[in-house]
Amino acid sequence: MARGELLEQIYTIVAQIPEGRVTTYGRIARMTDGATARAVGSAMGHLPSGHDLPWHRVINAGLKVTEHGGAVRQREKLRAEGVAFDAKGRVNPELLWP
DNA sequence: CACTTGACTATAA
DNA sequence: CTTATAGCCAAGT
């Protein structure tokens, strides 16, 4: 399995996340054939300009948005899709996409 | 090629 | 709750 295909799998999976739902880096990694959570995070951080992936629906294992440069914008997008956060900034586990 | 940096996670103390 | 360790990968320098 070529290395670049893992990224392709990651992009494909992220593109499948339904609106209003979320998933984690680790889950995506498990869905691919060999990628790791770190690889998924790296992929999200190196997304080429002009992409159409719902990157904002990918959160960390703690069901929270990882603090990074676009975290605020990410929360806004999720909020706009109807994703609610609790007092600790955590997302409802029921919104997890398999 | 080596080294660093960063949207990760599980485990232990 | 926090730190620390270890394992992990991609892209940039």
Side-chain angles (χ1 to χ4, degrees):
Chain A
M1 171 76 68
R3 230 173 26 149
E5 296 195 13
L6 288 178
L7 286 180
E8 197 175 318
Q9 288 178 30
I10 292 173
Y11 296 142
T12 300
I13 293 172
V14 172
Q16 303 303 308
I17 306 174
E19 184 178 317
R21 303 292 298 283
V22 298
T23 194
T24 70
Y25 301 99
R27 272 177 188 258
I28 294 176
R30 266 313 249 171
M31 294 177 202
T32 66
D33 180 32
T36 65
R38 191 78 183 193
V40 177
S42 182
M44 294 300 101
H46 298 119
L47 281 176
S49 56
H51 63 75
D52 57 342
L53 296 178
W55 56 271
H56 54 277
R57 309 205 252 239
V58 184
I59 60 182
N60 62 34
L63 299 185
K64 293 186 294 187
V65 173
T66 301
E67 290 303 328
H68 62 89
V72 176
R73 189 172 156 220
Q74 180 171 7
R75 293 194 196 87
E76 283 180 4
K77 282 182 168 291
L78 289 175
R79 181 87 176 68
E81 289 185 1
V83 177
F85 300 88
D86 64 15
K88 292 168 184 163
R90 210 174 303 145
V91 173
N92 184 336
E94 303 235 333
L95 293 178
L96 267 177
W97 183 63

